[in-house]
């Protein structure tokens, strides 16, 4: 715990019979979370070791997991998942930060810009998916027709097997960068003005300010954005499903859509095993990363 | 001329933002104004005839005014879930941050778990049935709360760290118990993050599609996102009606956003003054 | 599950109470409302459902029926299974027959209709596809369809082509059509389900070459990758792509786009199920006469026939509390009055599987081409999914890959065999 640099001399309060931070504050959330999330998750862990038809379950040990790893597209799905997560997270962090700096500076129409940037966050994911799928149509879509005006032949954004996943990732960033920016704005705005004033007295320019003050002191915001967008990216499903359903063929499948397809096909035990695999995958990446990032910067 | 030179960054930003962020919405509106044949051509063009009113009427009337029922359901769901989320998550974030104890480690892990683990649908349905709240709106409210807790606790915990402990101590010395401390001292100071949580979670729950699909089946219970399904069928996609639907679904968040926008901005700049 | 048991008991009590009330003959207007779950994949499905409901309710004013819609495809399968698993299914619901029917555990979830009088009206070939052992569970909804190639008659007339009876003739036709500047074969991979026709529609030819294929396939003794007859479907799909016969936007075209291209004469061939005639009639009525239909040809002109699909079926879950009323509705659907209501709503789309049901003399051009196959002895063979409970869920993605040149036919067939293995194991079949 960081000690505050506040100079008022306040003694630590004596131990009171009722703590100001009672443990029962955890209770309402704990009940809802435990009953409706933890318990079903543990139940599904059990079912991941069975061949489950929803009506009866036959214990088959780790056969589901073996099957899942033999799944022909799993390796591709894993790679796609990582690519998607890194691309969306990276873009959201970089763009979000730059936009955050831009939108906390003295720029005209700042309120308008903040609003228009944040608005896609509010629109339904399915709606965004449908809209962009139509706009990305290879011949009659708005994007390629506009490119054609400049003589450029636009690619098959969602139909080219090597491009489909990235196209969805770009739409994901379009939709989500506003949220990252808002988090950054909150972080940047909380940097005490004294730092900037002190550095101005020292004769530092805008670039120095950016590099030495803003960037490091926005670290908590950066950590939050990285962690949240990475988790979201690794688990991402709704947008990919709305736009390509993992296609064309299987080329934009991610682990989440592979799991969903197995669930749809009625392979409940297998799908649940996939859920467990996904969980482990995300945990392996996020937990060490989060530890590393938090240790590095520390909270303010 | 010097106006442009001074403000070129801003002007460029306005232009780029217009193209990148406004064009898709313009496309939605234009397509919503066309008739079926024209809309199936997917072009970014003005409609030959203005059909928006007809489309609106048709969409709202479909399946016995399903859209209106859906709107009411979505509104109730969102308001109830978000209220509970804010209170529960703030309570947890508060104690978590203030009182490190043997619980802190496990709770942190559970938060991460809540963010990472995808929910298991069928076991959850069984639990809801056992409790007798399956296929009910209040059942779904609790589901949304359960799924949203992790994210909200994370946000609250981070921002409570910026409230000096001295304020707590001052209030305690004044004789405040935990509830008074929490509701009268801490919560008001959390306004910026409360606003963020309300906005983000309202939007997420309002736009939630998969959860109502599984946990709230039945026509009387339809939420707004499910009405999109009515039109996006495998064979006969009426793009004009589909986009009218998207347009209609976008209006409530838009209104809420326009209303809250000032609060968000105020919340952010309040942080600046505080800092 | 005790709640399900209680509900079944209560349902039984309620049903018997209602039945006894009707026997006593008291004028108790038992206003029962049935819920009816229908998939909304095709606008005509909902229309047919509504027509049946309206006609039935007109004759039975004490029963009201509320239609609920669900999506089709994989999402719909999901919803059906989940709702059945949790006892939350509507009183009557529409779902596929054949292997998909087998996958929803009918013996456990559905009410058997074997002893019902109206089942005598249903044609045997259909009954087999909704049975487990000797118990029948469903009643056909809408008409049977064929999986073949819809073609544009005008292009054929203009280029002097005739309906091909062998695959080589078909490809020769394609070459001529391409030379004339039209699209030879239309594909619409944005709607992945439409990509399967070359493989699935070829089954008549597979069966003609190997009549015991279904049994061997179910027993894990025949595989697509190694069976010379079966792999042809995949190979042909690949061949059509490689020869460059496809429309340039094949990867992004949807079903509606394809129908438009076919009806307006932009393209000549579209492998599709015959129910699509309904779409042509609805959306391009003036071009309806220009669209015809023929079966996917094999290698032997003498053995040319159509792969037929059974229509979807209506089922009653055991959990329904209105068993008697639901059965009354099904009885209506399985009657000539039911057929007539359907024809009145969407016109003729194929042959009905209810005995004595007739079609009007004036049918759309596609249907006119379709009927002779059903009327000829041995002119049709059921698709594999009606002869074997196994159908892999990923076929449509695989056929998209093969049809787009992303994956070779041999690889695609091998992949499908792997996919099918999961399904077989899930169903607990022997030999896998």
């Amino acid at each position: 715990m960081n000690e505050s640099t506040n100079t008022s001399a306040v003694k630590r309060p004596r131990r009171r019979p009722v703590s100001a931070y009672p443990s029962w504050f955890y209770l309402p959330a704990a009940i809802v979370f435990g009953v409706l999330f933890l318990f079903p998750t543990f139940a599904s862990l059990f079912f991941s070791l069975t061949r489950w038809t929803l009506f009866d379950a036959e214990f088959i040990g780790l056969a589901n997991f073996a099957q899942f790893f033999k799944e022909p597209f799993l390796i591709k799905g894993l790679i796609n998942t990582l690519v998607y997560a890194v691309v969306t997270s990276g873009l959201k962090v970089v763009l979000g930060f730059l936009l955050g700096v831009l939108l906390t500076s003295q720029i005209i129409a700042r309120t308008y810009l903040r609003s228009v940037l944040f608005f896609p966050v509010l629109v339904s994911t399915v709606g965004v998916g449908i809209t962009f799928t139509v706009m990305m149509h290879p011949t009659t879509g708005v994007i390629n027709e506009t490119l054609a005006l400049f003589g450029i032949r636009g690619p098959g954004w969602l139909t080219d097997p090597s491009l489909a996943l990235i196209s969805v990732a770009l739409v994901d960033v379009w939709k989500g960068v506003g949220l990252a920016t808002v988090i950054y704005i909150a972080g940047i705005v909380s940097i005490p003005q004294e730092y900037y004033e002190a550095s101005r007295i020292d004769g530092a320019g805008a670039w120095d300010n950016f590099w030495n003050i803003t960037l490091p002191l926005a670290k908590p915001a950066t950590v939050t954005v990285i962690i949240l967008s990475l988790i979201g990216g690794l688990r991402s499903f709704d947008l990919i499903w709305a736009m390509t359903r993992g296609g064309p063929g299987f080329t934009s499948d991610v682990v989440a859509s592979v799991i969903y397809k197995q669930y749809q096909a009625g392979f409940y035990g297998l799908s649940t095993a996939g859920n467990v695999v996904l969980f482990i995958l995300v945990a392996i990446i996020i937990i060490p990363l989060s530890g590393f990032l938090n240790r590095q910067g520390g909270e303010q | 001329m010097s106006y442009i030179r001074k403000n070129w960054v801003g002007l460029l930003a306005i232009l780029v933002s217009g193209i990148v962020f406004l064009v898709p919405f313009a496309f939605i509106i234009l397509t919503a104004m066309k008739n079926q044949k024209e809309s199936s051509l997917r072009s970014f063009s003005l409609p030959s005839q203005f059909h928006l009113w007809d489309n609106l009427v048709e969409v709202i009337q479909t399946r016995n005014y399903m859209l209106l029922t859906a709107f009411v359901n979505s509104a109730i769901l969102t308001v109830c879930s978000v209220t509970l989320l804010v209170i529960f998550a703030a309570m947890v974030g508060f104690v978590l941050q203030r009182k490190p104890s043997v619980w802190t480690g496990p709770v942190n892990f559970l938060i991460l778990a809540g963010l990472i683990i995808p929910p298991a649908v069928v076991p959850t349905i069984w639990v809801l049935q056992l409790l007798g709240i399956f296929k009910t709106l209040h059942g779904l409210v609790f589901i949304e709360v359960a799924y949203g807790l992790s994210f909200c606790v994370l946000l609250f915990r981070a921002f409570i760290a910026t409230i000096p402990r001295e304020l707590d101590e001052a209030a305690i010395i004044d004789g405040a118990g935990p509830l008074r401390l929490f509701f009268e001292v801490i919560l008001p100071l959390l306004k910026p993050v409360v606003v963020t949580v309300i906005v983000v979670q309202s939007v997420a729950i309002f736009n939630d599609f998969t959860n109502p699909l599984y946990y709230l089946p039945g026509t009387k219970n339809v939420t707004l996102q499910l009405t999109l399904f009515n039109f996006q069928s495998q064979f006969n996609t009426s793009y004009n009606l589909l986009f009218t639907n998207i347009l209609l679904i976008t209006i409530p968040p838009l209104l809420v956003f326009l209303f809250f926008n000032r609060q968000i901005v105020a919340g952010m700049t309040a942080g600046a003054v505080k800092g | 599950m005790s709640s399900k048991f209680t509900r079944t008991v209560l349902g039984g009590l309620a049903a018997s109470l209602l039945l006894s009330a009707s026997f006593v003959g008291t004028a108790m207007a038992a206003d029962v409302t049935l819920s009816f779950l229908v998939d909304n994949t095709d606008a005509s499905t909902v229309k047919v459902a509504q027509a049946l409901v309206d006609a039935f309710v007109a004759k039975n004013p004490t029963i009201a029926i509320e239609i609920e819609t669900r999506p089709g495809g994989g999402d719909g399968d999901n919803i059906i299974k989940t709702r059945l698993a949790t006892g939350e299914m509507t009183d009557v619901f529409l779902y596929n027959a054949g292997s998909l029917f087998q996958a929803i555990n009918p013996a456990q979830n559905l009410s058997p209709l074997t002893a019902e009088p109206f089942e005598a009206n249903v044609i045997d070939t259909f009954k087999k596809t909704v049975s487990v052992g000797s118990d029948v569970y469903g009643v056909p909804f809408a008409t049977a369809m064929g999986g073949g190639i819809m073609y544009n008659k005008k292009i054929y007339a203009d280029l002097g082509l005739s309906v091909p009876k062998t695959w080589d003739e078909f490809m020769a036709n394609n070459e001529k059509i391409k030379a004339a500047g039209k699209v030879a074969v239309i594909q619409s991979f944005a709607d992945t389900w439409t990509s399967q026709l070359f493989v699935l529609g070829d089954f008549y030819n597979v069966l003609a070459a190997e009549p015991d294929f279904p049994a061997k396939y179910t027993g894990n003794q025949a595989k697509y990758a190694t069976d010379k007859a079966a792999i042809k479907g995949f190979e042909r799909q690949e061949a059509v792509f490689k020869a460059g016969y496809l429309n340039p936007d094949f990867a992004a075209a949807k079903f509606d786009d394809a129908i438009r291209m076919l009806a307006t004469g932009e393209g000549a061939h579209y492998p599709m199920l015959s129910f699509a005639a309904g779409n042509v009639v609805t959306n391009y009525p003036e071009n309806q006469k220009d669209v015809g239909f023929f079966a996917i040809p094999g290698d032997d002109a003498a053995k040319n026939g159509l792969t037929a699909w059974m229509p979807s079926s209506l089922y009653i879950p055991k959990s329904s509390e209105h068993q008697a009323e639901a059965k009354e509705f099904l009885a209506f659907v399985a009657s000539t009055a039911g057929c007539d209501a359907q024809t009145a709503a969407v016109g003729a789309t194929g042959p009905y599987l209810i005995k004595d049901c007739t079609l009007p003399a004036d049918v759309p051009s596609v249907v006119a081409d379709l009927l002779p196959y059903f009327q000829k002895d041995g002119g049709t063979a059921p698709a594999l999914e009606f002869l074997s409970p196994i159908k892999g869920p990923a076929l449509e993605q695989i056929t998209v890959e093969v049809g787009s040149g992303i994956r070779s036919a041999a690889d695609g067939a091998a992949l499908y065999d792997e996919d099918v293995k999961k399904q077989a194991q899930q169903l607990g079949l022997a030999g896998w």
Side-chain angles (χ1 to χ4, degrees):
Chain A
M1 283 301 304
N2 289 336
E3 303 290 335
S4 165
T5 52
N6 197 303
T7 51
S8 61
V10 174
K11 288 207 296 278
R12 283 198 179 277
R14 265 166 305 172
R15 273 282 171 91
R16 307 186 128 253
V18 176
S19 160
Y21 314 117
S23 292
W24 68 260
F25 265 32
Y26 286 133
L27 217 51
I31 294 176
V32 175
F33 189 72
V35 169
L36 291 178
F37 183 78
L38 288 179
F39 178 68
T41 302
F42 281 118
S44 74
L45 281 179
F46 166 69
F47 283 112
S48 75
L49 300 174
T50 67
R51 182 159 291 133
W52 191 17
T53 63
L54 286 185
F55 311 115
D56 49 53
E58 173 204 336
F59 190 78
I60 54 171
L62 291 175
N64 277 333
F65 290 94
Q67 177 80 50
F68 194 84
F69 282 103
K70 263 185 4 207
E71 185 75 9
F73 307 104
L74 186 75
I75 305 297
K76 180 90 167 80
L78 267 175
I79 296 177
N80 280 352
T81 311
L82 291 171
V83 166
Y84 188 85
V86 168
V87 168
T88 53
S89 181
L91 283 174
K92 283 182 192 172
V93 168
V94 171
L95 287 176
F97 182 64
L98 292 174
L99 287 168
V101 170
L102 182 69
L103 294 181
T104 46
S105 68
Q106 292 308 315
I107 193 174
I108 52 167
R110 197 169 68 175
T111 317
Y112 154 79
L113 285 172
R114 287 182 184 183
S115 315
V116 91
L117 184 68
F118 190 66
F119 189 58
V121 175
L122 302 177
V123 182
S124 126
T125 311
V126 179
V128 167
I130 296 174
T131 308
F132 272 92
T133 307
V134 173
M135 284 175 51
M136 282 179 166
H137 189 270
T139 46
T140 57
V142 175
I143 298 182
N144 281 1
E145 285 204 330
T146 315
L147 288 176
L149 286 178
F150 295 100
I152 309 174
R153 216 182 120 217
W157 300 98
L158 297 171
T159 54
D160 185 337
S162 49
L163 211 49
L165 189 70
I166 300 293
S167 304
V168 178
L170 290 177
V171 177
D172 190 315
V173 172
W174 179 89
K175 189 173 187 305
V177 75
L179 184 58
T181 310
V182 158
I183 296 179
Y184 268 117
I185 290 178
I188 292 174
V189 132
S190 70
I191 297 175
Q193 283 295 95
E194 291 84 56
Y195 287 111
Y196 292 108
E197 285 158 23
S199 98
R200 203 180 36 220
I201 290 173
D202 281 349
W207 177 254
D208 294 319
N209 280 347
F210 174 82
W211 198 250
N212 296 326
I213 303 176
T214 318
L215 191 54
L217 290 180
K219 195 130 211 175
T222 306
V223 170
T224 310
V225 172
I226 291 181
I227 298 288
L228 286 181
S229 62
L230 209 51
I231 294 178
L234 286 167
R235 270 183 62 186
S236 179
F237 171 75
D238 283 359
L239 192 65
I240 298 176
W241 195 255
M243 294 185 76
T244 62
R245 307 246 142 141
F250 300 97
T251 50
S252 68
D253 255 338
V254 291
V255 178
S257 62
V258 169
I259 292 173
Y260 185 71
K261 280 197 254 193
Q262 287 162 343
Y263 183 75
Q264 260 189 4
F267 306 146
Y268 297 113
L270 188 57
S271 167
T272 316
N275 263 4
V276 174
V277 169
L278 180 61
F279 164 43
I280 294 176
L281 168 73
V282 178
I284 290 180
I285 295 177
I286 296 294
I287 295 179
L289 184 65
S290 140
F292 170 73
L293 287 173
N294 277 321
R295 251 200 319 270
Q296 270 235 322
E299 312 169 41
Q300 272 211 281
Chain B
M1 209 55 218
S2 71
Y3 178 79
I4 294 183
R5 195 175 314 149
K6 230 181 24 168
N7 295 309
W8 71 273
V9 176
L11 290 172
L12 184 65
I14 296 176
L15 181 67
V16 171
S17 71
I19 296 176
V20 172
F21 289 100
L22 292 182
V23 162
F25 293 110
F27 182 71
I28 296 176
I29 297 174
L30 284 175
T31 313
M33 296 200 284
K34 296 181 180 165
N35 67 11
Q36 196 204 5
K37 279 234 173 91
E38 258 187 28
S39 69
S40 65
L41 295 173
R42 288 182 277 252
S43 53
F44 192 84
S45 57
L46 288 172
S48 57
Q49 275 176 315
F50 194 72
H51 284 274
L52 182 60
W53 183 250
D54 299 324
N55 292 340
L56 277 172
V57 168
E58 191 171 337
V59 168
I60 294 180
Q61 270 186 348
T62 311
R63 303 241 136 254
N64 284 330
Y65 299 92
M66 201 194 259
L67 204 72
L68 296 178
T69 320
F71 179 68
V72 169
N73 287 335
S74 287
I76 297 176
L77 175 68
T78 308
V79 169
C80 293
S81 311
V82 171
T83 311
L84 288 179
L85 263 176
V86 168
I87 299 176
F88 288 6
M91 283 164 70
V92 172
F94 175 55
V95 179
L96 193 61
Q97 204 279 330
R98 287 296 197 232
K99 189 166 100 157
S101 72
V102 65
W103 290 114
T104 311
V107 171
N108 281 337
F109 176 73
L110 285 179
I111 293 173
L112 255 171
L115 285 174
I116 295 173
I117 302 181
V121 174
V122 180
T124 314
I125 294 180
W126 279 343
V127 171
L128 288 172
Q129 279 191 315
L130 278 174
L131 298 172
I133 54 174
F134 179 56
K135 260 176 90 158
T136 61
L137 208 51
H138 42 280
L140 189 58
V141 166
F142 286 120
I143 292 282
E144 298 285 7
V145 171
Y147 294 171
L149 272 173
S150 293
F151 176 73
C152 298
V153 169
L154 207 65
L155 281 184
F156 275 114
R157 185 184 62 179
F159 284 96
I160 287 177
T162 65
I163 299 178
R165 270 181 172 256
E166 283 67 27
L167 287 173
D168 298 12
E169 293 162 5
I172 293 168
I173 286 176
D174 277 351
L179 282 174
R180 246 186 73 194
L181 170 64
F182 179 70
F183 280 103
E184 292 181 20
V185 179
I186 302 292
L187 209 48
L189 290 174
L190 289 178
K191 199 155 152 219
V193 71
V194 165
V195 168
T196 308
V197 165
I198 288 180
V199 170
V200 172
Q201 285 299 126
S202 298
V203 157
I205 295 174
F206 186 78
N207 287 332
D208 187 14
F209 171 67
T210 15
N211 291 325
L213 188 65
Y214 286 123
Y215 303 125
L216 204 60
T219 14
K220 292 197 186 37
N221 293 327
V222 71
T223 60
L224 280 179
Q225 302 301 318
L226 291 181
T227 59
L228 265 185
F229 247 19
N230 278 337
F231 294 119
Q232 204 197 11
S233 59
Q234 248 181 330
F235 304 165
N236 251 328
T237 311
S238 308
Y239 281 134
N240 56 331
L241 298 177
L242 190 62
F243 279 90
T244 309
N245 201 342
I246 296 179
L247 187 63
L248 282 172
I249 289 181
T250 311
I251 290 179
L254 175 64
L255 290 175
V256 167
F257 173 67
L258 289 175
F259 177 67
F260 267 105
N261 193 17
R262 226 168 295 146
Q263 249 96 318
I264 299 177
V265 176
M268 301 302 175
T269 48
V273 171
K274 204 169 58 98
Chain C
M1 298 213 55
S2 65
S3 63
K4 201 159 133 187
F5 175 70
T6 321
R7 201 176 284 131
T8 318
V9 168
L10 282 174
L13 272 173
S16 48
L17 270 173
L18 277 161
L19 273 173
S20 50
S22 61
F23 277 137
V24 168
T26 43
M28 227 172 56
D31 264 354
V32 173
T33 306
L34 296 177
S35 48
F36 177 18
L37 188 64
V38 167
D39 88 65
N40 68 358
T41 52
D42 184 9
S44 70
T45 312
V46 180
K47 244 177 146 187
V48 169
Q50 191 66 58
L52 283 167
V53 165
D54 292 339
F56 175 75
V57 165
K59 283 192 170 176
N60 298 277
T62 55
I63 304 178
I65 305 186
E66 264 180 24
I67 296 183
E68 269 182 53
T69 56
R70 61 160 176 92
D75 294 318
D77 296 337
N78 216 346
I79 291 184
I80 296 283
K81 288 193 188 113
T82 312
R83 289 182 73 163
L84 280 173
T86 52
E88 297 291 338
M89 183 46 82
T90 51
D91 297 302
V92 177
F93 69 99
L94 177 69
Y95 196 51
N96 303 62
S99 64
L100 285 170
F101 156 75
Q102 300 289 344
I104 57 173
N105 209 323
Q108 177 145 358
N109 289 321
L110 305 179
S111 297
L113 306 171
T114 331
E116 299 295 328
F118 55 78
E119 284 290 347
N121 293 347
V122 179
I123 296 186
D124 280 336
T125 24
F126 180 80
K127 279 203 272 204
K128 281 205 219 99
T129 64
V130 288
S131 302
V132 177
S134 54
D135 284 321
V136 182
Y137 290 92
V139 146
F141 175 92
T143 60
M145 346 173 223
I149 302 194
M150 290 173 72
Y151 74 104
N152 189 294
K153 290 186 171 170
K154 233 166 142 259
I155 297 183
Y156 264 54
D158 288 343
L159 297 176
L161 303 172
S162 55
V163 172
K165 293 271 185 264
T166 67
W167 181 261
D168 291 330
E169 280 174 34
F170 175 66
M171 289 302 257
N173 284 0
N174 280 333
E175 197 57 49
K176 293 201 191 103
I177 297 166
K178 185 175 166 192
K182 300 264 183 203
V183 171
V185 176
I186 305 170
Q187 295 274 257
S188 51
F189 290 160
D191 284 323
T192 48
W193 65 273
T194 65
S195 68
Q196 309 176 83
L197 266 303
F198 273 122
V199 172
L200 296 177
D202 194 46
F203 191 65
Y204 180 92
N205 300 319
V206 177
L207 207 56
E210 291 178 32
D212 58 349
F213 182 83
K216 291 207 313 216
Y217 184 66
T218 313
N220 197 11
Q221 313 235 289
K223 293 198 172 298
Y224 270 92
T226 49
D227 189 294
K228 279 205 202 21
I231 200 178
K232 286 225 168 92
F234 286 97
E235 289 174 348
R236 287 176 175 154
Q237 178 135 34
E238 190 184 31
V240 168
F241 168 76
K242 283 214 173 120
Y245 292 149
L246 301 186
N247 45 322
D249 60 345
F250 70 88
K254 297 186 115 177
F255 174 76
D256 288 315
D257 299 320
I259 295 287
R260 188 199 76 235
M261 282 190 260
L262 180 72
T264 55
E266 264 180 68
H269 295 124
Y270 184 42
M272 182 37 58
L273 295 167
S274 60
F275 82 90
N279 289 74
V280 177
V281 167
T282 313
N283 294 327
Y284 304 96
E286 63 284 0
N287 300 29
Q288 177 268 115
K289 285 186 300 331
D290 296 333
V291 181
F293 186 81
F294 61 79
I296 296 185
D299 292 326
D300 190 343
K303 292 191 191 162
N304 189 309
L306 181 66
T307 314
W309 263 257
M310 289 294 139
S312 300
S313 172
L314 296 180
Y315 305 101
I316 305 177
K318 281 201 175 118
S319 61
S320 164
E321 290 164 9
H322 305 296
Q323 298 282 326
E325 288 79 4
K327 287 179 182 167
E328 274 185 56
F329 180 55
L330 260 56
F332 175 76
V333 173
S335 69
T336 47
C339 293
D340 292 337
Q342 297 180 58
T343 315
V346 291
T349 52
Y352 287 102
L353 285 135
I354 312 280
K355 292 183 188 154
D356 302 326
C357 276
T358 54
L359 289 174
D362 181 32
V363 297
S365 166
V366 169
V367 180
D369 288 347
L370 174 74
L371 288 173
Y373 289 100
F374 283 95
Q375 287 153 354
K376 195 172 70 173
D377 234 355
T380 62
L384 183 57
E385 67 194 74
F386 301 105
L387 296 173
S388 165
I390 322 173
K391 183 168 186 274
L395 179 62
E396 48 198 71
Q397 277 94 15
I398 297 176
T399 46
V400 164
E401 291 209 324
V402 173
S404 316
I406 301 176
R407 188 175 292 275
S408 77
D411 268 354
L415 204 56
Y416 184 54
D417 289 325
E418 271 300 312
D419 191 40
V420 147
K421 193 164 134 195
K422 291 203 293 275
Q423 170 79 313
Q425 284 175 336
Q426 185 75 9
L427 289 173
L429 293 176
W432 291 82

